[in-house]
Each structure stands twice: as structure tokens, then as C-alpha cells.
Amino acid sequence: MAYRHATERQDYSDYARGRVLYGQHGHPAYPVRLASEIWQRCTAVLREEERPGPYVLYDPCCGGAYLLTTLCLLHRPEIAAAIGSDVDAGVLDTARRNLALLSVEGMERRIGEVRALHQAYGKRSHAASVESAQRLRERLLDARGAEIETRAFVADATDPCALKEGLTGLQIDVLIADLPYGRDSQWKRLQEDGSSSCSPQIQMLDALLAVVSPHTVVALSADKAARLAHPAYRRLERFRLGKRQVTLLRSPAH
Ligand SMILES: C[S@@+](CC[C@H](N)C(=O)[O-])C[C@H]1O[C@@H](n2cnc3c(N)ncnc32)[C@H](O)[C@@H]1O
């Protein structure tokens, strides 16, 4: 896959998991450059249709909101709201702490935390965290406009009622999710639906019909073997990078 937007290989170490952003045990961090490329491909579709943003971004499998928070820090002026949900209530504390870093005040609190760690232990990694957090704070100050609205709630992404309730009052422009696959993240269900023979991905796409609009661009990152075709969605594009595939979809009418 050739990068179309994030064409320059940059130093993304300020976004490294655990440095400033909080890590979620057992979840590897999503590649930052790829995340940025996905965001830019989604917003290019909207901009071509003269929808200039700022946009509402939603991740229905948000985990610790590392992906959401990274995207907002990188593309701050383009984002009006960052919303995450996950079936696992245990990860939402990390998600909320990460989303809190999207305000200058939140980032300043984090600078205080990592500075205290540096004073207590004198480690080089803590000094690097302070420097990264200060750079991220500058980015937030440069982009200062309206605050980003943030929300994190528990929902099984295959449950349309839970999604609808959590997203009350919001129209999603861009939905980006790194779907569960592999050893570190599995699909979980709040209630087993023994009647469905469809994969969880397809059940999630069914459920999302309750909350996406015809203009929402849906970008799903998954294992390259996953099947992400659904009759109610049109595929805009699909690309592969290593063990991942990314599919951009839209539900023109439902
Ligand atoms: C690959 S991780 C996503 C990591 C996340 N993007 C981040 O930045 O931290 C997949 C997530 O999907 C969640 N998940 C699993 N089954 C789910 C379901 N039925 N509905 C919603 N989330 C689910 C897992 O709890 C896990 O947090």
C-alpha cells in the first residue's frame, strides 16, 4: 500500500504508548502513521463532497482510546468530537484519561504527573515524557479553538440499542475502528446471540446501521483474512499493510 496523505515518515515518538498517552495492558498501540493516513483518506471523501468539518469521530471498539486520542492530537483542528465505546467497562477508565489529554488543562495535569515521576526517579524515559507532553501541549495551544467534545461509554458494538443510546444527539462523520483479532483482543459479547450465524464484524455492521448516516465514512482495520463485505454498505476502498487490511465503507441508504 502506498501512503497518499501521510507521505512523509515522521518521528511519532511523542505519541508512543505509555510516554504521554496512557497504555492499556495487553493492547498493542496502533501504528500512528497508518492511523493518520486512514483519517486523511476518510476526510478527503467528505471534503470532496464539500463537507469541510470539523468532524465527529467515533470508535465503537475504542479500548483505551489510544487510537482516538492520537488522531485528535494529530488532526486537532479538524475534529469537533471524539467518541469512544467498548464492550469492556474495565478499559474505559484509560479511555477517559487519554481523552482528557485533549484539553490544554488535561495535558498540563499530565505534564505535572510525568514531571513528578522524573523528580522521584530521575529516569531518562520520564524526562522524555515531560518533553513530549510539552510539545503536545504546544500543539493543542496552536490549534486552540472550541474544545473537543469527548464521550466514552460501555456498549457492545453489535447491539444497535446500546449504540443509539450512547450516541444520542450526535451525527457521526467518521467512524474508525481497529477490530478485535488475534491473541491480545478478542470479540466479546454482553449477551450471546446464539441465533446469528454471522461473524461479529457483520453483526457490528448491522448494528451500526442504527447510528450511521449516508454521509458517514466507516473505516475498519482488521486482520487481512476478515470479511468486511455487507450488502447495506458500499466499499469505497480497501488496502493492506502487513497483517492488516483497512476497508472504507459507506451505507448510502438504509
Ligand atoms: C484492537 S482493540 C482496540 C484498541 C483501541 N483502538 C485503542 O486504541 O486502545 C479491540 C477492542 O475491541 C473491544 N471489543 C471486543 N468485543 C467488542 C464488542 N462486541 N463491542 C465493542 N467492543 C468490543 C475490546 O474490548 C478491545 O478493547
Side-chain angles (χ1 to χ4, degrees), residues 27 59-67 86-88 155-157 178-180 185-189:
H27 288 175
D59 179 350
C61 296
C62 74
Y66 172 81
L67 176 60
D86 199 286
V87 73
D88 180 355
D156 181 334
D178 177 26
L179 301 182
S185 82
Q186 310 283 348
W187 280 102
K188 294 168 215 144
R189 306 296 303 275

Side-chain angles (χ1 to χ4, degrees), residues 171-235:
Q171 269 232 331
I172 309 162
D173 299 301
V174 179
L175 183 152
I176 298 182
D178 177 26
L179 301 182
Y181 58 89
R183 197 165 44 87
D184 297 317
S185 82
Q186 310 283 348
W187 280 102
K188 294 168 215 144
R189 306 296 303 275
L190 285 183
Q191 285 179 326
E192 274 313 320
D193 177 4
S195 63
S196 178
S197 57
C198 297
S199 67
Q201 293 94 305
I202 299 304
Q203 290 179 53
M204 183 188 79
L205 283 166
D206 270 337
L208 288 175
L209 291 173
V211 293
V212 296
S213 71
H215 85 261
T216 310
V217 181
V218 175
L220 303 179
S221 177
D223 180 82
K224 64 177 183 223
R227 270 186 53 74
L228 296 172
H230 185 294
Y233 293 80
R234 183 166 61 90
R235 190 161 87 190

Side-chain angles (χ1 to χ4, degrees), residues 34-84:
L34 177 58
S36 179
E37 175 73 18
I38 297 170
W39 169 259
Q40 291 182 77
R41 287 193 188 200
C42 292
T43 53
V45 172
L46 293 169
R47 264 195 278 270
E48 263 173 35
E49 296 166 351
E50 301 192 7
R51 294 179 186 276
Y55 305 109
V56 174
L57 169 62
Y58 173 50
D59 179 350
C61 296
C62 74
Y66 172 81
L67 176 60
L68 261 182
T69 307
T70 304
L71 282 174
C72 292
L73 289 168
L74 283 167
H75 299 284
R76 167 70 190 87
E78 299 168 24
I79 298 176
I83 316 298

